[in-house]
Amino acid sequence: MRAGCVPIITYHGLDDLASPLFVSPAVFESHLSALAQSGRVTIPLAVVLDKLRHGEPLPDNAVVITFDDGYESVCLEAWPRLCDHGFTATVFLITDYCGRDNRWPDQPAWVPTRPLLTWDQVETMSAKGCEFGAHTRTHPSLVCLPLTQAEDEITASQQAVHEHTGEPVRAFAYPYGAVNAEVHGIARRHFDGAAGTRLGLIQPNSDPYDLARIDACYLTPGLARSMNRPSFHLYLNFRRVLRILRRLFVADWQPARPVE
């Protein structure tokens, strides 16, 4: 891995579905095996935030595994596999929908309906070392809301996670990656950092409130093993260009099927 860089990988749910939001349990296991074979260690997102905050070097050979939305399959399928490898993860919860399914108001119709984590499952995983972050109450595009409503979505979600885990909720994830100066400012007031959907690696000069990540659907075991090679950075640049071109026509937060 390029010195001083940390990849943050974004998953959603684990399922045998032809959807960019889901990877199969077998594919997930292949990613974990590849990371383990290449000497990677997983760290909570909070560790990265501490390093950025204090200007300390980022850890070598580290990777952060994140899950957005809090699908139940994270508990049933992902967490046991992570534990088998001695890995950990950070899970961002949509708190009003815990114990329900993923049919929040802005959910595109093409996304399959799947259950989300219950609070009992969250509490059990938290007690075993899983880090939980906030992902709003109802998963709206925050840039489309009045600021008072956006702040309520953010802070009420943070409070709910804290109440159920008993842990500080230090990290936030912007729904759809939608962020502007005002939403960025709200995140700064309440969290130590926030993750977006920009494609890239975390570097010492990264903005802790606009953390780049790598979508799991872009990874193969070979790519997971090669994140320290120049070819991987060329691959990320290629994917980044595709995203820029796509966003000329469809914003990420709009309920349209991804075309990548």
Side-chain angles (χ1 to χ4, degrees):
M1 188 179 304
R2 184 180 296 174
C5 295
V6 174
I8 303 176
I9 305 174
T10 305
Y11 294 89
H12 287 78
L14 268 60
D15 210 313
D16 292 308
L17 294 167
S19 168
L21 292 181
F22 298 90
V23 300
S24 72
V27 168
F28 182 68
E29 176 62 38
S30 73
H31 289 176
L32 298 185
S33 296
L35 292 171
Q37 291 163 9
S38 56
R40 304 283 183 249
V41 295
T42 60
I43 56 176
L45 186 56
V47 173
V48 173
L49 299 178
D50 285 338
K51 299 296 183 184
L52 293 176
R53 174 183 293 270
H54 298 296
E56 299 174 354
L58 295 170
D60 291 333
N61 290 329
V63 61
V64 179
I65 294 175
T66 65
F67 294 88
D68 283 9
D69 304 340
Y71 284 91
E72 188 178 42
S73 59
V74 177
C75 177
L76 301 182
E77 300 286 353
W79 186 245
R81 290 175 169 84
L82 288 162
C83 291
D84 285 346
H85 286 276
F87 287 172
T88 190
T90 302
V91 182
F92 295 105
L93 298 175
I94 305 167
T95 52
D96 279 13
Y97 282 78
C98 285
R100 299 167 64 184
D101 61 34
N102 60 336
R103 301 259 56 99
W104 44 82
D106 290 341
Q107 183 71 284
W110 58 265
V111 177
T113 300
R114 288 295 182 271
L116 302 183
L117 290 164
T118 67
W119 284 118
D120 283 346
Q121 290 169 322
V122 169
E123 291 164 11
T124 298
M125 290 173 64
S126 177
K128 294 180 179 179
C130 184
E131 179 183 44
F132 285 92
H135 197 33
T136 72
R137 295 174 52 236
T138 64
H139 205 276
S141 173
L142 293 170
V143 300
C144 297
L145 300 181
L147 285 183
T148 54
Q149 187 177 348
E151 186 148 15
D152 175 71
E153 283 278 348
I154 292 168
T155 58
S157 176
Q158 181 184 38
Q159 182 62 28
V161 178
H162 172 67
E163 287 175 355
H164 284 277
T165 65
E167 300 291 335
V169 184
R170 301 179 56 193
F172 179 71
Y174 303 107
Y176 311 107
V179 57
N180 56 19
E182 291 77 16
V183 171
H184 187 280
I186 296 171
R188 288 184 67 89
R189 290 197 295 274
H190 298 285
F191 297 90
D192 292 334
T197 59
R198 288 189 307 107
L199 189 60
L201 300 169
I202 304 306
Q203 304 180 56
N205 62 349
S206 291
D207 178 357
Y209 294 93
D210 189 16
L211 296 172
R213 295 191 282 177
I214 301 167
D215 299 78
C217 62
Y218 295 161
L219 286 182
T220 64
L223 287 168
R225 283 190 292 267
S226 69
M227 287 191 286
N228 61 334
R229 299 174 186 168
S231 59
F232 184 76
H233 299 277
L234 291 174
Y235 173 74
L236 287 186
N237 288 336
F238 170 72
R239 281 291 184 182
R240 194 176 295 115
V241 169
L242 288 182
R243 280 191 164 189
I244 291 170
L245 292 175
R246 186 189 70 181
R247 289 171 181 174
L248 293 175
F249 303 97
V250 181
D252 278 356
W253 58 268
Q254 290 179 334
R257 181 182 294 274
V259 296
E260 292 186 56

